[in-house]
Amino acid sequence: MIVPANAETIRAAAALLRAGQVVSFPTETVYGLGANALLAGACEKIFRLKNRPPTNPLIVHVHSTAGAEALVDPSFSSSGKRLFERLSALWPGPVTAVVPKRETIPDIVTAGTGSVGIRIPANDIALALLREASIPVAAPSANLSNYVSPTTARHVYDGFGEDIPIILDGGGTALGLESTVISLVEPANPVILRPGTVTKEILEETLGCKVRAYAGASQSASPGLGPVHYAPSTPLALLKDIDLGTVGGLKLGFIAFREGLHLEYDFHSVIVLSANGSLPEIATGLYGALRDMDARDLDLIVIDECIETGVGTAIMDRVRKAAALHGRRYEDPRRRRHTRSNI
Ligand code: TXA
Ligand code: MG
């Protein structure tokens, strides 16, 4: 059930969390699907609801740095602890630190990796909920596995309906892209596992050392961070990858990143994410636009691109992953349909 977030509904959601149930709440990035991170049985419900592979670990949310430190392996090296402390200066905020985990965290949360992703979200509703529940809360994005992350309570409801007893409605999320994930497991070699609005430059300045951007398609560094992540059901293609001259007659949608781009195609629908190509605006609207287009019964969604600096890195990371579901590059939907009908 979607309920407006207020003191009473936050109390009710906290009580459910403590009792081992699953609830959804807004953060500054996307909506999360939360459960008591110290109860394996509660976290199991998250995996079941999302149809999430057990190999993909969950991020644990807390409301204080003391709460965050309590999740770290006490025998983590002093250089590692120092980096963790420096990183915590960015909290509350959209960055997740992956560090060796304390024993109390069940293996289901960390997918047996031995390390845990931790963050303090910068959202008053999330913080109030975490304070009220006074337990660490494991929460992936509140979408079905492989589908687009939710940036509104309605998106969450569209995926799970009444299977979630409480969806706290806090309106549209401010940032629209999931947190930056950085691994500090090897303190001499911090690695960004997932780009986000906290950029490499900010991380290097905060940590006082070089930070490597994870490059590669391996699923091993962070199981959910491979080349394929989530996508709308409708095929999606980058504008630069298709020849609009060859797709005449198809029902196409176009997600533009700025106004004033005139393409020689009679698009069925167009969504413009920002008047002037502002990267934060594009980030905030991206997932809503993908979901919106997906509901319009299109043959193909065509999407713009932006420069890959700052937040642009995270935007293009998500766009490429969404376009690459199942490793599929764009192919003419008519041909694919034809192929399917022959099976
Ligand atoms: O902004 C966010 O991070 C949102 C909100 C709800 O906080 N959460 C989120 O969770 O995006 P999720 O599960 O959708 O994405 C977390 C990513 C996963 O791809 C997972 O593989 C990675 O972080 N991750 C979590 N724990 C990890 C660990 N111990 N080692 C490596 N990667 C980890
Ligand atoms: Mg996710």
Side-chain angles (χ1 to χ4, degrees), residues 30 50 52 56 140-150 178 194 224 229-230:
V30 299
K50 278 182 63 99
R52 184 178 177 104
N56 194 355
S141 50
N143 51 285
L144 294 167
S145 222
N146 285 335
Y147 198 61
V148 182
S149 290
E178 305 87 340
R194 177 174 71 185
H229 194 186
Y230 30 51

PDB file of all heavy atoms in Angstrom, residues 30 50 52 56 140-150 178 194 224 229-230, ligand 2:
ATOM      1  N   VAL A  30      17.159   6.540  -5.374  1.00  0.00           N
ATOM      2  CA  VAL A  30      15.988   5.809  -5.874  1.00  0.00           C
ATOM      3  C   VAL A  30      15.261   5.234  -4.653  1.00  0.00           C
ATOM      4  O   VAL A  30      15.783   5.301  -3.542  1.00  0.00           O
ATOM      5  CB  VAL A  30      16.401   4.655  -6.838  1.00  0.00           C
ATOM      6  CG1 VAL A  30      17.130   5.202  -8.058  1.00  0.00           C
ATOM      7  CG2 VAL A  30      17.258   3.601  -6.137  1.00  0.00           C
ATOM      8  N   LYS A  50      12.059  -9.571  -5.380  1.00  0.00           N
ATOM      9  CA  LYS A  50      12.693  -8.952  -6.557  1.00  0.00           C
ATOM     10  C   LYS A  50      13.068  -9.964  -7.630  1.00  0.00           C
ATOM     11  O   LYS A  50      13.430  -9.591  -8.728  1.00  0.00           O
ATOM     12  CB  LYS A  50      13.994  -8.232  -6.132  1.00  0.00           C
ATOM     13  CG  LYS A  50      13.799  -6.856  -5.558  1.00  0.00           C
ATOM     14  CD  LYS A  50      15.150  -6.223  -5.228  1.00  0.00           C
ATOM     15  CE  LYS A  50      16.021  -6.007  -6.429  1.00  0.00           C
ATOM     16  NZ  LYS A  50      16.022  -4.652  -6.972  1.00  0.00           N
ATOM     17  N   ARG A  52      15.753 -11.627  -7.313  1.00  0.00           N
ATOM     18  CA  ARG A  52      17.164 -11.225  -7.409  1.00  0.00           C
ATOM     19  C   ARG A  52      18.053 -12.437  -7.220  1.00  0.00           C
ATOM     20  O   ARG A  52      17.843 -13.234  -6.302  1.00  0.00           O
ATOM     21  CB  ARG A  52      17.457 -10.197  -6.315  1.00  0.00           C
ATOM     22  CG  ARG A  52      18.861  -9.593  -6.317  1.00  0.00           C
ATOM     23  CD  ARG A  52      18.929  -8.578  -5.188  1.00  0.00           C
ATOM     24  NE  ARG A  52      20.197  -7.951  -4.987  1.00  0.00           N
ATOM     25  CZ  ARG A  52      20.496  -6.704  -5.351  1.00  0.00           C
ATOM     26  NH1 ARG A  52      19.605  -5.984  -5.992  1.00  0.00           N
ATOM     27  NH2 ARG A  52      21.669  -6.182  -5.072  1.00  0.00           N
ATOM     28  N   ASN A  56      23.964 -11.529  -5.810  1.00  0.00           N
ATOM     29  CA  ASN A  56      24.040 -10.065  -5.875  1.00  0.00           C
ATOM     30  C   ASN A  56      23.820  -9.460  -4.486  1.00  0.00           C
ATOM     31  O   ASN A  56      22.705  -9.458  -3.974  1.00  0.00           O
ATOM     32  CB  ASN A  56      22.997  -9.551  -6.866  1.00  0.00           C
ATOM     33  CG  ASN A  56      23.238  -8.098  -7.255  1.00  0.00           C
ATOM     34  OD1 ASN A  56      24.138  -7.449  -6.718  1.00  0.00           O
ATOM     35  ND2 ASN A  56      22.435  -7.597  -8.163  1.00  0.00           N
ATOM     36  N   PRO A 140      18.068  -2.958  -1.510  1.00  0.00           N
ATOM     37  CA  PRO A 140      18.384  -2.723  -2.923  1.00  0.00           C
ATOM     38  C   PRO A 140      17.352  -1.758  -3.485  1.00  0.00           C
ATOM     39  O   PRO A 140      16.398  -1.394  -2.788  1.00  0.00           O
ATOM     40  CB  PRO A 140      18.201  -4.109  -3.544  1.00  0.00           C
ATOM     41  CG  PRO A 140      17.137  -4.736  -2.720  1.00  0.00           C
ATOM     42  CD  PRO A 140      17.273  -4.181  -1.328  1.00  0.00           C
ATOM     43  N   SER A 141      17.536  -1.343  -4.719  1.00  0.00           N
ATOM     44  CA  SER A 141      16.510  -0.544  -5.372  1.00  0.00           C
ATOM     45  C   SER A 141      15.224  -1.373  -5.443  1.00  0.00           C
ATOM     46  O   SER A 141      15.269  -2.585  -5.624  1.00  0.00           O
ATOM     47  CB  SER A 141      16.980  -0.148  -6.776  1.00  0.00           C
ATOM     48  OG  SER A 141      17.449  -1.279  -7.488  1.00  0.00           O
ATOM     49  N   ALA A 142      14.078  -0.683  -5.307  1.00  0.00           N
ATOM     50  CA  ALA A 142      12.799  -1.377  -5.191  1.00  0.00           C
ATOM     51  C   ALA A 142      12.162  -1.653  -6.557  1.00  0.00           C
ATOM     52  O   ALA A 142      11.029  -1.256  -6.828  1.00  0.00           O
ATOM     53  CB  ALA A 142      11.857  -0.570  -4.307  1.00  0.00           C
ATOM     54  N   ASN A 143      12.927  -2.331  -7.402  1.00  0.00           N
ATOM     55  CA  ASN A 143      12.414  -2.738  -8.717  1.00  0.00           C
ATOM     56  C   ASN A 143      12.576  -4.246  -8.843  1.00  0.00           C
ATOM     57  O   ASN A 143      13.409  -4.836  -8.145  1.00  0.00           O
ATOM     58  CB  ASN A 143      13.226  -2.057  -9.837  1.00  0.00           C
ATOM     59  CG  ASN A 143      14.715  -2.259  -9.642  1.00  0.00           C
ATOM     60  OD1 ASN A 143      15.326  -1.619  -8.779  1.00  0.00           O
ATOM     61  ND2 ASN A 143      15.305  -3.164 -10.412  1.00  0.00           N
ATOM     62  N   LEU A 144      11.796  -4.850  -9.733  1.00  0.00           N
ATOM     63  CA  LEU A 144      12.024  -6.255 -10.043  1.00  0.00           C
ATOM     64  C   LEU A 144      13.408  -6.354 -10.673  1.00  0.00           C
ATOM     65  O   LEU A 144      13.829  -5.450 -11.404  1.00  0.00           O
ATOM     66  CB  LEU A 144      10.957  -6.764 -11.019  1.00  0.00           C
ATOM     67  CG  LEU A 144       9.533  -6.807 -10.441  1.00  0.00           C
ATOM     68  CD1 LEU A 144       8.508  -7.015 -11.552  1.00  0.00           C
ATOM     69  CD2 LEU A 144       9.414  -7.895  -9.388  1.00  0.00           C
ATOM     70  N   SER A 145      14.111  -7.435 -10.374  1.00  0.00           N
ATOM     71  CA  SER A 145      15.461  -7.621 -10.892  1.00  0.00           C
ATOM     72  C   SER A 145      15.470  -7.401 -12.403  1.00  0.00           C
ATOM     73  O   SER A 145      14.581  -7.888 -13.107  1.00  0.00           O
ATOM     74  CB  SER A 145      15.905  -9.045 -10.575  1.00  0.00           C
ATOM     75  OG  SER A 145      17.225  -9.042 -10.144  1.00  0.00           O
ATOM     76  N   ASN A 146      16.439  -6.659 -12.894  1.00  0.00           N
ATOM     77  CA  ASN A 146      16.617  -6.363 -14.318  1.00  0.00           C
ATOM     78  C   ASN A 146      15.695  -5.292 -14.876  1.00  0.00           C
ATOM     79  O   ASN A 146      15.818  -4.926 -16.039  1.00  0.00           O
ATOM     80  CB  ASN A 146      16.464  -7.602 -15.219  1.00  0.00           C
ATOM     81  CG  ASN A 146      17.672  -8.500 -15.128  1.00  0.00           C
ATOM     82  OD1 ASN A 146      18.755  -8.026 -14.803  1.00  0.00           O
ATOM     83  ND2 ASN A 146      17.490  -9.779 -15.398  1.00  0.00           N
ATOM     84  N   TYR A 147      14.741  -4.804 -14.072  1.00  0.00           N
ATOM     85  CA  TYR A 147      13.930  -3.703 -14.585  1.00  0.00           C
ATOM     86  C   TYR A 147      14.497  -2.378 -14.058  1.00  0.00           C
ATOM     87  O   TYR A 147      15.390  -2.350 -13.219  1.00  0.00           O
ATOM     88  CB  TYR A 147      12.441  -3.877 -14.233  1.00  0.00           C
ATOM     89  CG  TYR A 147      11.553  -3.012 -15.112  1.00  0.00           C
ATOM     90  CD1 TYR A 147      11.541  -3.193 -16.490  1.00  0.00           C
ATOM     91  CD2 TYR A 147      10.788  -1.994 -14.579  1.00  0.00           C
ATOM     92  CE1 TYR A 147      10.785  -2.382 -17.311  1.00  0.00           C
ATOM     93  CE2 TYR A 147      10.022  -1.171 -15.388  1.00  0.00           C
ATOM     94  CZ  TYR A 147      10.026  -1.369 -16.755  1.00  0.00           C
ATOM     95  OH  TYR A 147       9.286  -0.551 -17.567  1.00  0.00           O
ATOM     96  N   VAL A 148      13.976  -1.293 -14.631  1.00  0.00           N
ATOM     97  CA  VAL A 148      14.473   0.054 -14.327  1.00  0.00           C
ATOM     98  C   VAL A 148      14.199   0.415 -12.858  1.00  0.00           C
ATOM     99  O   VAL A 148      13.117   0.127 -12.339  1.00  0.00           O
ATOM    100  CB  VAL A 148      13.751   1.064 -15.255  1.00  0.00           C
ATOM    101  CG1 VAL A 148      14.248   2.469 -15.022  1.00  0.00           C
ATOM    102  CG2 VAL A 148      13.901   0.650 -16.719  1.00  0.00           C
ATOM    103  N   SER A 149      15.156   1.067 -12.189  1.00  0.00           N
ATOM    104  CA  SER A 149      14.993   1.455 -10.785  1.00  0.00           C
ATOM    105  C   SER A 149      13.857   2.465 -10.615  1.00  0.00           C
ATOM    106  O   SER A 149      13.578   3.246 -11.522  1.00  0.00           O
ATOM    107  CB  SER A 149      16.287   2.064 -10.254  1.00  0.00           C
ATOM    108  OG  SER A 149      17.278   1.084 -10.139  1.00  0.00           O
ATOM    109  N   PRO A 150      13.208   2.448  -9.443  1.00  0.00           N
ATOM    110  CA  PRO A 150      12.055   3.324  -9.208  1.00  0.00           C
ATOM    111  C   PRO A 150      12.436   4.681  -8.622  1.00  0.00           C
ATOM    112  O   PRO A 150      13.211   4.757  -7.675  1.00  0.00           O
ATOM    113  CB  PRO A 150      11.241   2.533  -8.180  1.00  0.00           C
ATOM    114  CG  PRO A 150      12.265   1.761  -7.417  1.00  0.00           C
ATOM    115  CD  PRO A 150      13.437   1.519  -8.322  1.00  0.00           C
ATOM    116  N   GLU A 178      21.234   5.622  -8.854  1.00  0.00           N
ATOM    117  CA  GLU A 178      21.698   4.945  -7.652  1.00  0.00           C
ATOM    118  C   GLU A 178      23.057   5.470  -7.204  1.00  0.00           C
ATOM    119  O   GLU A 178      23.816   6.042  -7.999  1.00  0.00           O
ATOM    120  CB  GLU A 178      21.811   3.432  -7.891  1.00  0.00           C
ATOM    121  CG  GLU A 178      20.552   2.756  -8.387  1.00  0.00           C
ATOM    122  CD  GLU A 178      20.435   2.796  -9.901  1.00  0.00           C
ATOM    123  OE1 GLU A 178      21.090   3.649 -10.555  1.00  0.00           O
ATOM    124  OE2 GLU A 178      19.684   1.973 -10.442  1.00  0.00           O
ATOM    125  N   ARG A 194      30.542   1.207  -9.255  1.00  0.00           N
ATOM    126  CA  ARG A 194      29.391   1.746  -9.994  1.00  0.00           C
ATOM    127  C   ARG A 194      29.460   3.269  -9.931  1.00  0.00           C
ATOM    128  O   ARG A 194      29.465   3.833  -8.833  1.00  0.00           O
ATOM    129  CB  ARG A 194      28.079   1.267  -9.354  1.00  0.00           C
ATOM    130  CG  ARG A 194      26.829   1.847 -10.020  1.00  0.00           C
ATOM    131  CD  ARG A 194      25.541   1.245  -9.477  1.00  0.00           C
ATOM    132  NE  ARG A 194      25.247   1.682  -8.117  1.00  0.00           N
ATOM    133  CZ  ARG A 194      24.232   1.235  -7.387  1.00  0.00           C
ATOM    134  NH1 ARG A 194      23.428   0.302  -7.891  1.00  0.00           N
ATOM    135  NH2 ARG A 194      24.021   1.682  -6.166  1.00  0.00           N
ATOM    136  N   GLY A 224      26.276  -7.224  -9.321  1.00  0.00           N
ATOM    137  CA  GLY A 224      25.204  -6.513 -10.020  1.00  0.00           C
ATOM    138  C   GLY A 224      25.719  -5.461 -10.968  1.00  0.00           C
ATOM    139  O   GLY A 224      24.954  -4.674 -11.508  1.00  0.00           O
ATOM    140  N   HIS A 229      22.431  -4.657 -16.902  1.00  0.00           N
ATOM    141  CA  HIS A 229      21.876  -4.447 -15.573  1.00  0.00           C
ATOM    142  C   HIS A 229      20.361  -4.424 -15.643  1.00  0.00           C
ATOM    143  O   HIS A 229      19.697  -5.381 -15.367  1.00  0.00           O
ATOM    144  CB  HIS A 229      22.450  -3.182 -14.953  1.00  0.00           C
ATOM    145  CG  HIS A 229      22.194  -3.085 -13.478  1.00  0.00           C
ATOM    146  ND1 HIS A 229      22.503  -1.990 -12.741  1.00  0.00           N
ATOM    147  CD2 HIS A 229      21.647  -3.955 -12.623  1.00  0.00           C
ATOM    148  CE1 HIS A 229      22.167  -2.191 -11.481  1.00  0.00           C
ATOM    149  NE2 HIS A 229      21.645  -3.380 -11.392  1.00  0.00           N
ATOM    150  N   TYR A 230      19.815  -3.318 -16.090  1.00  0.00           N
ATOM    151  CA  TYR A 230      18.370  -3.234 -16.106  1.00  0.00           C
ATOM    152  C   TYR A 230      17.939  -2.499 -17.350  1.00  0.00           C
ATOM    153  O   TYR A 230      18.692  -1.739 -17.932  1.00  0.00           O
ATOM    154  CB  TYR A 230      17.852  -2.511 -14.887  1.00  0.00           C
ATOM    155  CG  TYR A 230      18.819  -1.491 -14.363  1.00  0.00           C
ATOM    156  CD1 TYR A 230      19.378  -0.542 -15.200  1.00  0.00           C
ATOM    157  CD2 TYR A 230      19.191  -1.507 -13.035  1.00  0.00           C
ATOM    158  CE1 TYR A 230      20.283   0.375 -14.725  1.00  0.00           C
ATOM    159  CE2 TYR A 230      20.096  -0.600 -12.554  1.00  0.00           C
ATOM    160  CZ  TYR A 230      20.639   0.344 -13.402  1.00  0.00           C
ATOM    161  OH  TYR A 230      21.532   1.240 -12.933  1.00  0.00           O
TER     162      TYR A 230
HETATM  163 MG    MG B   2      19.267  -2.051  -8.328  1.00  0.00          MG
END
